[in-house]
Amino acid sequence: MATPYSDNIPQVVPDASSGAAVPVVRDIRTSDLLEALRLGWEDFKAIPSHAVILCVIYPVLGLVIARTVLGYSVLPLLFPLAAGFALIGPFAALGLYELSRRRERGEEPSAWDAFAVLRSPSFGAMLGLGVILLILFVVWVTTADSIYVAIFGNTPAASIPDFASRIFSTKEGLQLMVVGCSVGFLFAVIALCISVVAFPLMLDRHANTIDAMRTSLRVVAKNPVAMATWGLIVAALLVIGSIPLFLGLAVVLPVLGHATWHLYRKVLEPDPNPYQEPPHPPKGRRYAADFPASLLPWGRDKP
């Protein structure tokens, strides 16, 4: 059953396919996107160390893997790798959704609360969609590498200035930018359409993978301009964060992760029958170094 809201009064509308509750999609504007970003920034400021701990590993890991496997040919793939974080970012930000969700309820989340997502009843569904996005990421990077080789051959760039000269001062470089950006745009559209609110929905309402992807498609279909604007905002922030050797992504990824949770709240009507979780006891601020004593061998009580 779907439950659209009219004049703040829930009205039940049957869902012919399954009879299950179908999230109701709202119309949103650019102002809603900016508000989601503002709230994401507020979440990041409230728990910055936790967010960096969770997200800095992704750009670092990407650089290490690329350098190890590809050697000097990593230069042509710097942009595809940075753009690829838009594909796997929604899955990588699972812990950030949980932190935003708890802070939204008035709690003071700690770093450990991010890992509570692993105990979610829908974690298997999240993992399934994460695998789909990872496959999309690998196919994109492979495709980008093939495009570069097809245009410039297998000779690697000797240095960053040499690579920049190839890209910005030759006919082949212009061809690479046009073809590469066009193909990358298609990958980004696919990822956006199937995952824009999928992971927050699975975390919040325990939806399965198919229903979550279907809801994301409905969100994009009802708000094509707003979702296209959101995609451009994400792409622009990823480019800005990638310029200093991907280090800026340690801030950009957490902010976008938190903002995605607030975007989910804005674009879908509240669940008329939300799952009631037991309240969590209030906690003081904790840090990554504050391990519970019970987890340490010398902190356990001896029998």
Side-chain angles (χ1 to χ4, degrees):
M1 305 286 287
T3 310
Y5 285 71
S6 177
D7 298 327
N8 296 322
I9 301 175
Q11 300 176 352
V12 177
V13 177
D15 174 27
S17 61
S18 63
V22 177
V24 179
V25 179
R26 292 167 168 163
D27 291 311
I28 61 173
R29 301 178 179 178
T30 303
S31 59
D32 295 307
L33 305 181
L34 298 178
E35 177 66 8
L37 282 172
R38 186 190 69 79
L39 293 172
W41 175 247
E42 292 298 324
D43 285 349
F44 176 72
K45 288 194 300 181
I47 41 178
S49 59
H50 307 153
V52 170
I53 290 171
L54 288 171
C55 291
V56 75
I57 188 175
Y58 298 102
V60 172
L61 186 60
L63 281 174
V64 170
I65 292 176
R67 180 68 181 179
T68 301
V69 175
L70 301 173
Y72 289 107
S73 62
V74 68
L75 285 174
L77 290 183
L78 283 178
F79 176 75
L81 283 172
F85 284 119
L87 306 181
I88 59 175
F91 177 72
L94 279 177
L96 303 177
Y97 308 146
E98 179 66 16
L99 294 178
S100 288
R101 185 170 76 112
R102 292 182 179 234
R103 187 166 182 264
E104 179 182 78
R105 295 190 307 211
E107 301 177 24
E108 294 185 12
S110 70
W112 305 110
D113 291 325
F115 297 97
V117 70
L118 300 175
R119 301 190 298 271
S120 171
S122 57
F123 182 71
M126 300 178 202
L127 191 60
L129 182 53
V131 170
I132 293 174
L133 294 181
L134 180 60
I135 292 173
L136 200 63
F137 173 78
V138 172
V139 173
W140 155 240
V141 173
T142 303
T143 302
D145 184 50
S146 299
I147 293 173
Y148 180 86
V149 171
I151 294 176
F152 284 104
N154 290 305
T155 304
S159 62
I160 292 180
D162 178 41
F163 175 70
S165 176
R166 289 187 183 191
I167 299 300
F168 296 109
S169 63
T170 66
K171 180 177 67 176
E172 291 79 9
L174 177 61
Q175 181 183 358
L176 177 67
M177 287 190 287
V178 172
V179 176
C181 289
S182 299
V183 175
F185 173 77
L186 294 178
F187 278 90
V189 168
I190 294 172
L192 178 71
C193 288
I194 66 175
S195 69
V196 64
V197 297
F199 290 107
L201 181 64
M202 287 188 279
L203 176 64
D204 187 41
R205 306 193 192 185
H206 307 314
N208 60 47
T209 304
I210 299 300
D211 288 343
M213 293 171 62
R214 188 178 299 162
T215 299
S216 286
L217 288 169
R218 290 172 52 229
V219 166
V220 174
K222 189 164 185 178
N223 298 278
V225 175
M227 291 300 101
T229 303
W230 179 251
L232 291 174
I233 291 173
V234 171
L237 290 177
L238 287 174
V239 169
I240 293 171
S242 302
I243 291 174
L245 295 178
F246 291 4
L247 296 179
L249 293 180
V251 174
V252 170
L253 286 177
V255 171
L256 287 176
H258 290 304
T260 298
W261 172 261
H262 295 291
L263 176 65
Y264 156 74
R265 285 300 198 202
K266 289 183 176 297
V267 80
L268 294 182
E269 292 282 1
D271 188 353
N273 299 299
Y275 173 73
Q276 298 295 329
E277 294 187 16
H280 298 275
K283 301 177 182 178
R285 186 174 295 276
R286 296 173 62 192
Y287 298 92
D290 297 334
F291 290 94
S294 60
L295 296 181
L296 303 175
W298 55 85
R300 300 192 184 108
D301 293 330
K302 295 183 180 180

